[in-house]
C-alpha cells in the first residue's frame, strides 16, 4: 500500500527499485486521486490510478495496455472481463425468483456492506438484491435482530471462523440459510473473490457467487473456471490440489 489507511510501502525503498510506473487499482475518489498526486510529486514516478469498479475493469486494461505497450495482451484480458460480465448478467436476468442474500463479514457475521458500497458491488453487478441494499453506505455493523428480520435464504461470508461456527451458534440456527445449509465461504487466494481488493480478482467470484445463489443457472465446473482464470490473469498453472484449496476458501 502506498496510499490510504494502513500504508505498508516506504517511499525511499520504492525509489531504490527505480520503477518506471506506479499502477494503482481501486477507488478514484478525490481523496485517493490527491494521494496519488502527492506520491507522484514526491517520487517523480508517473502514477496511474485505475478505476477498480467491475464495470470499469475492461477499460482499465485497455488503458494499462497503452501505458505499458502491451496492447495485445491487454485486449485479451479486457475481452475476457467484458464477456464474463455480460454472460453472468444475462444468466441472472433469466432467474425466476430472487433469494434473499446476506453478506456476512467478521467472526460474528454481523458486519456487512450496505447498498452502493464497493463491498457489495459484486452482488449488484450480478443483479442480486442483498438484504442490506435498502440501507445506503459502506461497511456497517448490524444487530442479530436485524438479521433475523431479514431471514436470508443464502449467506455468503469471507470469514472462516464464522463459516465454521455459524451452524452450531444458537443465535443463527433459526435463519433460513443456516437451516438449509446455504452458508458459503468465498475463495480468497491470492486475493478475495468478493470485495477486496476492488479489482479484477473478483471476476471468478462472479461465477462462484452465481453458482451459490442460482445453482441451476450456473452449471459450469468451477475448477475449470478457476484454473483458466489463474492461468490467463496470474500466469500460474494450478494443480488439482491447489484448485481445491482455493475453492475451499482457506488462507
Amino acid at each position: 500500500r502506498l496510499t490510504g489507511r494502513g500504508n505498508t510501502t516506504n517511499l525511499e525503498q520504492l525509489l531504490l527499485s527505480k520503477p518506471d510506473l506506479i499502477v494503482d487499482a481501486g477507488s478514484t475518489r478525490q481523496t485517493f486521486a490527491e494521494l496519488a498526486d502527492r506520491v507522484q510529486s514526491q517520487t517523480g514516478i508517473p502514477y496511474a490510478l485505475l478505476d477498480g469498479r467491475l464495470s470499469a475493469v475492461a477499460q482499465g486494461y485497455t488503458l494499462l495496455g497503452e501505458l505499458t505497450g502491451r496492447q495485445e495482451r491487454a485486449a485479451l484480458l479486457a475481452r475476457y472481463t467484458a464477456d464474463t460480465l455480460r454472460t453472468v448478467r444475462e444468466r441472472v436476468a433469466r432467474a425466476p425468483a430472487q433469494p434473499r442474500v446476506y453478506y456476512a463479514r467478521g467472526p460474528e457475521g454481523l458486519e456487512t456492506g450496505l447498498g452502493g458500497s464497493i463491498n457489495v458491488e459484486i452482488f449488484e453487478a450480478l443483479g442480486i438484491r442483498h438484504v442490506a441494499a435498502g440501507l445506503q453506505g459502506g461497511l456497517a455493523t448490524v444487530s442479530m435482530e436485524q438479521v433475523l428480520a431479514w431471514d436470508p435464504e443464502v449467506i455468503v461470508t469471507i470469514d472462516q471462523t464464522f463459516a465454521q461456527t455459524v451452524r452450531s451458534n444458537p443465535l443463527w440456527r433459526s435463519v433460513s440459510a443456516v437451516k438449509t445449509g446455504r452458508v458459503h465461504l468465498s475463495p480468497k487466494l491470492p486475493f478475495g473473490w468478493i470485495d477486496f481488493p476492488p479489482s479484477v480478482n473478483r471476476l471468478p467470484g462472479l461465477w462462484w457467487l452465481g453458482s451459490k445463489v442460482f445453482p441451476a443457472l450456473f452449471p459450469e465446473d468451477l475448477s475449470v473456471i478457476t484454473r483458466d482464470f489463474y492461468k490467463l490473469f496470474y500466469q500460474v498453472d494450478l494443480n488439482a490440489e491447489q484448485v481445491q484449496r482455493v475453492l475451499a476458501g482457506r488462507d
Side-chain angles (χ1 to χ4, degrees):
R1 283 177 171 268
L2 273 173
T3 61
R5 187 171 51 192
N7 292 2
T8 56
T9 302
N10 183 288
L11 290 183
E12 293 180 358
Q13 292 296 319
L14 174 67
L15 287 169
L16 289 175
S17 65
K18 299 180 180 179
D20 298 305
L21 175 68
I22 297 171
V23 178
D24 186 356
S27 173
T28 57
R29 295 198 311 268
Q30 182 177 354
T31 299
F32 292 98
E34 291 174 351
L35 288 167
D37 284 339
R38 186 185 309 165
V39 171
Q40 182 170 276
S41 298
Q42 291 174 336
T43 63
I45 302 167
Y47 195 122
L49 179 59
L50 305 180
D51 192 337
R53 290 177 301 164
L54 281 167
S55 60
V57 168
Q59 182 181 359
Y61 270 119
T62 300
L63 175 58
L64 188 59
E66 295 171 355
L67 291 172
T68 60
R70 291 172 172 80
Q71 289 91 340
E72 185 175 347
R73 174 159 169 77
L76 176 65
L77 301 180
R79 187 165 55 251
Y80 179 101
T81 299
D83 288 347
T84 296
L85 283 166
R86 182 179 63 255
T87 300
V88 298
R89 284 169 175 163
E90 290 173 350
R91 296 270 186 94
V92 173
R94 303 200 303 266
Q98 281 273 357
R100 300 182 302 278
V101 181
Y102 174 66
Y103 178 39
R105 291 173 53 110
E108 303 299 324
L110 295 177
E111 183 181 63
T112 193
L114 304 183
S117 74
I118 194 73
N119 307 91
V120 293
E121 185 192 17
I122 189 171
F123 296 88
E124 295 169 352
L126 269 172
I128 295 172
R129 183 173 174 79
H130 57 99
V131 293
L135 305 172
Q136 295 294 302
L139 286 176
T141 299
V142 297
S143 67
M144 192 68 227
E145 289 75 16
Q146 177 64 79
V147 175
L148 292 171
W150 282 328
D151 191 27
E153 298 165 276
V154 181
I155 294 175
V156 174
T157 185
I158 59 173
D159 192 279
Q160 289 186 50
T161 299
F162 176 74
Q164 292 167 355
T165 62
V166 65
R167 291 172 180 83
S168 60
N169 189 327
L171 295 175
W172 288 84
R173 283 178 185 165
S174 63
V175 175
S176 293
V178 178
K179 289 192 291 186
T180 59
R182 298 189 71 182
V183 178
H184 305 291
L185 176 63
S186 82
K188 59 174 69 72
L189 288 174
F191 307 107
W193 283 19
I194 296 297
D195 71 347
F196 189 81
S199 190
V200 65
N201 46 287
R202 296 173 296 166
L203 285 178
L206 290 166
W207 293 102
W208 179 87
L209 184 58
S211 73
K212 303 307 179 186
V213 180
F214 306 105
L217 297 177
F218 289 84
E220 285 83 3
D221 186 339
L222 287 174
S223 297
V224 174
I225 289 175
T226 302
R227 187 177 293 111
D228 291 348
F229 177 84
Y230 279 55
K231 174 64 175 178
L232 178 60
F233 282 81
Y234 298 152
Q235 302 180 61
V236 172
D237 287 305
L238 298 180
N239 60 37
E241 182 180 350
Q242 290 170 324
V243 169
Q244 291 309 307
R245 182 184 174 196
V246 169
L247 290 175
R250 301 293 183 261
D251 290 332

